[in-house]
């Protein structure tokens, strides 16, 4: 990819296998389908803001608005997002 980034969607069943790194959290995917709904609940979105701030993640736009940042323990730090319907992508900076 020309921008030097690659985003791998992390499946909840694989979260224990991912390591410290940079991640992006978004509330919906580019192509919404029935089995990939968006998070629209204002209370959940408000809680998400609290969670990303605690993790030191910053707002970003990677085709979608979301949050991006480094996470030391993805299995523990990102579980809340999976449980509340968000999509998590691992960033691979080495793809060119």
């Amino acid at each position: 990819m020309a921008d030097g980034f690659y985003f791998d969607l992390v499946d909840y069943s694989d979260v224990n296998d991912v390591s410290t790194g940079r991640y992006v959290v978004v509330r919906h995917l580019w192509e919404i389908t029935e089995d990939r709904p968006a998070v629209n609940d204002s209370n959940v979105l408000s809680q998400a803001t609290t969670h990303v701030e605690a993790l030191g993640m910053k707002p970003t736009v990677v085709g979608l608005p979301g949050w991006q940042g480094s996470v030391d323990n993805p299995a523990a730090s990102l579980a809340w997002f999976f449980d509340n319907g968000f999509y998590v992508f691992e960033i691979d900076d080495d793809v060119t």
Side-chain angles (χ1 to χ4, degrees):
M1 295 179 67
D3 61 10
F5 295 102
Y6 183 74
F7 302 94
D8 268 333
L9 183 62
V10 178
D11 188 271
Y12 187 56
S13 63
D14 296 330
V15 74
N16 290 321
D17 298 326
V18 294
S19 59
T20 298
R22 291 190 328 127
Y23 291 85
V24 172
V25 175
V26 296
R27 65 188 192 105
H28 62 83
L29 297 179
W30 292 266
E31 295 179 15
I32 301 300
T33 62
E34 287 183 26
D35 61 335
R36 295 195 185 276
V39 176
N40 293 314
D41 184 307
S42 60
N43 290 329
V44 173
L45 291 171
S46 177
Q47 291 175 38
T49 301
T50 301
H51 283 280
V52 295
E53 287 173 356
L55 291 171
M57 298 178 93
K58 303 293 183 197
T60 187
V61 175
V62 288
L64 293 172
W67 301 278
Q68 174 179 304
S70 295
V71 178
D72 290 332
N73 184 350
S77 300
L78 300 175
W80 184 89
F81 297 100
F82 285 107
D83 292 341
N84 285 281
F86 290 85
Y87 299 94
V88 177
F89 292 85
E90 185 174 15
I91 300 173
D92 182 352
D93 295 318
D94 296 327
V95 174
T96 56

